[in-house]
Amino acid sequence: KALKEKHEKIKAELNIKIPDDNFSKYLLEQINKIRSDPQSFVGVIEDAKDNIKKSRSGKYYYNGNKIKVALKDGESAFNETIEFLKSCQPMEPLEFSKDLIPNPPQNVEEIEDRNYLKKNVELMILNGIKINSYWRDLIKDAEISFLLMIVDDNGDKKGMRRNDILNPKMKYIGISSIEINGHFINYFVLSSWIIKWEEIEI
């Protein structure tokens, strides 16, 4: 009985270290792969350039897995990412933390609310959680979501997500996703430091 209880406790602790949904599990796995070996992803970015297309109006978009995602600079952003990865040094993996998961949206209105995550993050900060960076993503394909997060061809904020994901000072991450009535959202929250309450003497 004691052995079984110990096994259940270990299992529970392990479960805390990974996201609840498969979409987020995949993203966490890929993020930690690229942190451990940034250069290994260079070939993926090179191959992905074949999917950059230009619309009749002259705007770039990424066309893959039956999904089209708008791009700002197109191939030049992919080339910048390749150079960044070539000079990037391996770093420690990010540790998943449920403390960095926002309260999940309860309806489509909350999913579509651009300030929903910001309001949740403000509550986390009020509760003493240090948060360095956060964003939301609407791309429903996990592979493309990760790829374009690293390329991060995002206009004025280009490269900021990539810089945060590949920042050796970042230690913790919360990733979660939810879909309600066909409306999908994915949240990312990063922190360089989290209070571990079990380490504090009361």
Side-chain angles (χ1 to χ4, degrees), residues 154-181:
N154 200 15
D156 294 339
K157 296 181 178 180
K158 182 171 72 171
M160 290 178 69
R161 295 177 181 182
R162 177 177 67 241
N163 290 341
D164 286 334
I165 287 170
L166 293 171
N167 181 350
K169 292 182 179 178
M170 291 294 183
K171 303 296 181 187
Y172 302 95
I173 188 168
I175 311 178
S176 58
S177 64
I178 189 168
E179 185 172 359
I180 300 175
N181 296 334

Side-chain angles (χ1 to χ4, degrees), residues 69-74 77-78 80-81 114 134-137 139 148-162:
V69 183
L71 299 172
K72 181 72 176 174
D73 296 331
F78 282 64
E80 283 176 30
T81 304
R114 289 179 174 271
Y134 62 91
W135 64 86
R136 63 183 207 139
D137 191 24
I139 301 173
L148 296 185
M149 195 189 314
I150 299 302
V151 172
D152 203 15
D153 185 4
N154 200 15
D156 294 339
K157 296 181 178 180
K158 182 171 72 171
M160 290 178 69
R161 295 177 181 182
R162 177 177 67 241

Side-chain angles (χ1 to χ4, degrees), residues 32-181:
N32 282 333
K33 277 185 181 178
I34 199 170
R35 280 175 68 92
S36 67
D37 187 3
Q39 284 82 33
S40 68
F41 206 67
V42 167
V44 177
I45 303 287
E46 283 281 8
D47 292 343
K49 288 196 289 186
D50 291 340
N51 294 323
I52 300 171
K53 309 296 178 185
K54 207 171 189 179
S55 67
R56 289 179 182 177
S57 60
K59 293 186 177 180
Y60 293 107
Y61 64 94
Y62 187 84
N63 187 25
N65 295 348
K66 299 180 181 178
I67 291 177
K68 294 180 180 180
V69 183
L71 299 172
K72 181 72 176 174
D73 296 331
E75 188 168 340
S76 65
F78 282 64
N79 290 334
E80 283 176 30
T81 304
I82 288 168
E83 292 309 309
F84 178 93
L85 293 175
K86 284 180 179 177
S87 62
C88 197
Q89 298 300 311
M91 61 199 80
E92 292 295 314
L94 291 174
E95 184 178 324
F96 176 76
S97 172
K98 288 202 171 184
D99 289 337
L100 296 176
I101 298 293
N103 292 322
Q106 299 302 305
N107 50 54
V108 172
E109 185 179 357
E110 288 185 344
I111 281 183
E112 294 182 338
D113 182 0
R114 289 179 174 271
N115 292 314
Y116 182 83
L117 178 58
K118 182 182 178 183
K119 288 182 277 190
N120 269 265
V121 165
E122 286 170 352
L123 285 173
M124 291 181 197
I125 292 169
L126 283 173
N127 287 325
I129 298 172
K130 178 180 174 62
I131 291 173
N132 296 80
S133 177
Y134 62 91
W135 64 86
R136 63 183 207 139
D137 191 24
L138 304 174
I139 301 173
K140 203 172 176 180
D141 183 287
E143 187 178 336
I144 293 176
S145 173
F146 176 67
L147 171 74
L148 296 185
M149 195 189 314
I150 299 302
V151 172
D152 203 15
D153 185 4
N154 200 15
D156 294 339
K157 296 181 178 180
K158 182 171 72 171
M160 290 178 69
R161 295 177 181 182
R162 177 177 67 241
N163 290 341
D164 286 334
I165 287 170
L166 293 171
N167 181 350
K169 292 182 179 178
M170 291 294 183
K171 303 296 181 187
Y172 302 95
I173 188 168
I175 311 178
S176 58
S177 64
I178 189 168
E179 185 172 359
I180 300 175
N181 296 334

